[in-house]
Amino acid sequence: MQKKINVTCSSMPDFFEYCEEIKDIWDSRWLTNMGPKHTKLQTELATYLNVPNVTLYTNGHLALEYALELFQFPRGSEVITTPFTFVSTTNSIVRCGLEPVFCDINPVDYTLDANKLESLISDKTVAIMPVHVYGNVCNVEKIEEIAAKYSLKVIYDAAHAFGVTYKGKSVAQFGDLSMFSFHATKVFNTIEGGALCYHNSSYTQQLNDRKNFGIHGQDKVEYIGGNAKMNEFQAAMGLCNLRYIDAEIAKRKAAVLCYMDRLKDTDGLQLNPVQDGVISNYAYFPVVFDAQYFGASRDEIKDVLAEHGIVARKYFYPLTNSIDCFHGKYIPQETTPEALRISNSVLTLPLYADIPIDIVNRICDIILSCKK
Ligand SMILES: *Cc1c(COP(=O)(O)O)cnc(C)c1O
């Protein structure tokens, strides 16, 4: 029985390197609450991501919620976002008592279609939450222009975009805040983890207080905060993984170039080339199957791969404006037809730093053998 090939495989440092990194925790007995490893990782990430401020969280989802909470928007205020994302993006908005307003995506890089943004703005709109989906950079110029015109906050879900640059600028520099996820499956991981990156240093104190129950100093509880602190073992994993991040991205790139080379110029397949001006992190390899031209549908390809022990995933299906918990409140057919079309035909192929090139070739052989 051949080993199953999963859609992803977590990057991990050498076992003994991690042991070495956590060793002094047994001396200090400081396991969490902004310890020395937490502080060190924060500083190293600010350098790597080239942003003045980084606040760490126990996961990326809570980082999104705390970003929204920072502005204390009135309940029921509207946040314009994309339905073509992981459910976390939309859930963060709803869980903060806000109303998601879904903007369609552009069918080329699958990010929020900024040309459709302005018509969705109402007098209840307070913010935009776009997603750099698959690590593709949103139309940051247009989004910034519209946000400035209507005084809206911009919070980027940059969960997929760790290390990406656009026109020489770190993707972490756009918007009021950007959220990165350091979940095990992401390009850079701290087991579970996340961060907010931002220019405005006046956010720091409040973000730090709110993730620690709202406690400010010894005897003062300033905010109705929660608990979203990153612990020292997570930070230690981050410190180790950060040493190898550029090499890990280079290995992903080699796998992507192989996929690209094998699948390009195939009728009925839409690939995800690196955008102009972007240095990619090669986070995902999505392929959109046009069944009419390719001769097999996304679901058929997924099943054939599964028969060969290869797990590809329908990222992102279903759209977050058609998930069960909203009970048909939003209508993707009418409001986000491009997102609906892509969601119904996209398949994300296995991609991780250590994927062997012969496996990539085997996956391509299987897919191309389905072409009619
Ligand atoms: C992973 C992810 C999140 C959530 O991050 P966690 O660290 O898993 O909480 C949010 N948005 C997107 C687009 C993601 O892929």
Side-chain angles (χ1 to χ4, degrees):
M1 172 81 186
Q2 259 176 336
K3 211 174 141 212
K4 209 158 133 174
I5 301 297
N6 226 324
V7 72
T8 189
C9 173
S10 298
S11 291
M12 290 175 83
D14 177 76
F15 175 67
F16 294 102
E17 183 173 344
Y18 185 66
C19 292
E20 191 57 37
E21 187 62 49
I22 60 173
K23 214 169 167 194
D24 51 6
I25 302 178
W26 266 258
D27 303 324
S28 68
R29 298 278 170 130
W30 191 336
L31 311 188
T32 185
N33 284 46
M34 287 64 84
K37 295 191 191 295
H38 176 281
T39 306
K40 187 162 179 229
L41 181 62
Q42 211 159 255
T43 308
E44 288 190 8
L45 284 174
T47 304
Y48 188 81
L49 295 172
N50 199 14
V51 270
N53 301 292
V54 175
T55 298
L56 297 175
Y57 289 87
T58 193
N59 60 57
H61 176 81
L62 284 173
L64 273 183
E65 289 195 13
Y66 281 78
L68 286 167
E69 202 190 49
L70 179 68
F71 299 109
Q72 296 289 298
F73 298 125
R75 278 189 89 77
S77 298
E78 294 174 356
V79 179
I80 302 175
T81 187
T82 164
F84 191 70
T85 181
F86 184 51
V87 67
S88 167
T89 318
T90 307
N91 282 3
S92 73
I93 295 168
V94 179
R95 286 172 57 83
C96 287
L98 306 168
E99 187 68 27
V101 172
F102 294 99
C103 182
D104 207 357
I105 60 172
N106 81 64
V108 177
D109 60 31
Y110 318 120
T111 63
L112 184 148
D113 186 344
N115 295 317
K116 297 187 177 152
L117 197 51
E118 210 160 348
S119 65
L120 296 171
I121 295 173
S122 78
D123 50 10
K124 290 208 287 184
T125 309
V126 289
I128 309 168
M129 188 180 275
V131 180
H132 299 305
V133 68
Y134 305 131
N136 292 342
V137 179
C138 295
N139 186 345
V140 288
E141 289 103 349
K142 180 100 191 183
I143 291 169
E144 186 174 311
E145 180 195 311
I146 294 171
K149 184 170 165 191
Y150 294 91
S151 305
L152 305 175
K153 300 294 180 196
V154 180
I155 300 165
Y156 281 105
D157 180 334
H160 298 173
F162 188 86
V164 172
T165 67
Y166 173 60
K167 293 185 179 168
K169 223 169 139 175
S170 164
V171 82
Q173 295 190 8
F174 299 107
D176 293 277
L177 302 107
S178 292
M179 180 282 287
F180 292 86
S181 164
F182 308 149
H183 182 257
T185 56
K186 302 299 202 292
V187 169
F188 167 75
N189 86 78
T190 62
I191 311 170
E192 292 262 11
L196 292 176
C197 296
Y198 48 97
H199 284 282
N200 189 339
S201 303
S202 75
Y203 296 163
T204 304
Q205 184 68 59
Q206 199 182 145
L207 290 173
N208 282 336
D209 289 351
R210 283 187 183 274
K211 73 173 179 182
N212 186 28
F213 307 101
I215 297 170
H216 183 85
Q218 289 254 330
D219 303 314
K220 206 165 149 201
V221 183
E222 183 102 21
Y223 310 102
I224 310 167
N227 180 3
K229 304 185 297 288
M230 177 182 280
N231 70 51
E232 290 291 277
F233 290 83
Q234 291 173 287
M237 188 62 127
L239 288 170
C240 292
N241 279 336
L242 197 55
R243 290 175 198 137
Y244 305 100
I245 186 68
D246 291 337
E248 293 288 284
I249 291 173
K251 289 200 278 181
R252 286 174 172 274
K253 179 177 181 178
V256 165
L257 292 180
C258 180
Y259 269 130
M260 280 289 188
D261 191 48
R262 293 289 315 276
L263 299 179
K264 67 168 198 267
D265 306 329
T266 308
D267 267 356
L269 297 190
Q270 182 184 333
L271 306 181
N272 180 47
V274 176
Q275 300 158 288
D276 284 345
V278 168
I279 295 177
S280 178
N281 63 358
Y282 305 94
Y284 297 90
F285 197 83
V287 179
V288 173
F289 290 86
D290 185 332
Q292 201 187 337
Y293 291 97
F294 187 71
S297 71
R298 180 270 305 274
D299 290 355
E300 286 166 336
I301 301 291
K302 183 174 186 289
D303 291 345
V304 172
L305 288 170
E307 284 163 22
H308 288 82
I310 294 159
V311 182
R313 293 291 300 270
K314 296 190 261 182
Y315 294 148
F316 288 94
Y317 173 92
L319 292 175
T320 67
N321 53 356
S322 57
I323 52 182
D324 297 335
C325 55
F326 295 135
H327 306 290
K329 187 171 172 196
Y330 309 102
I331 318 161
Q333 285 83 351
E334 289 170 20
T335 55
T336 60
E338 288 298 336
L340 188 64
R341 181 175 67 80
I342 301 297
S343 176
N344 283 332
S345 50
V346 71
L347 193 63
T348 299
L349 303 181
L351 177 61
Y352 42 90
D354 287 326
I355 192 167
I357 291 298
D358 62 314
I359 299 283
V360 173
N361 272 309
R362 187 148 67 85
I363 294 169
C364 294
D365 290 340
I366 295 167
I367 291 172
L368 293 171
S369 75
C370 299
K371 170 101 179 96
K372 295 201 186 80

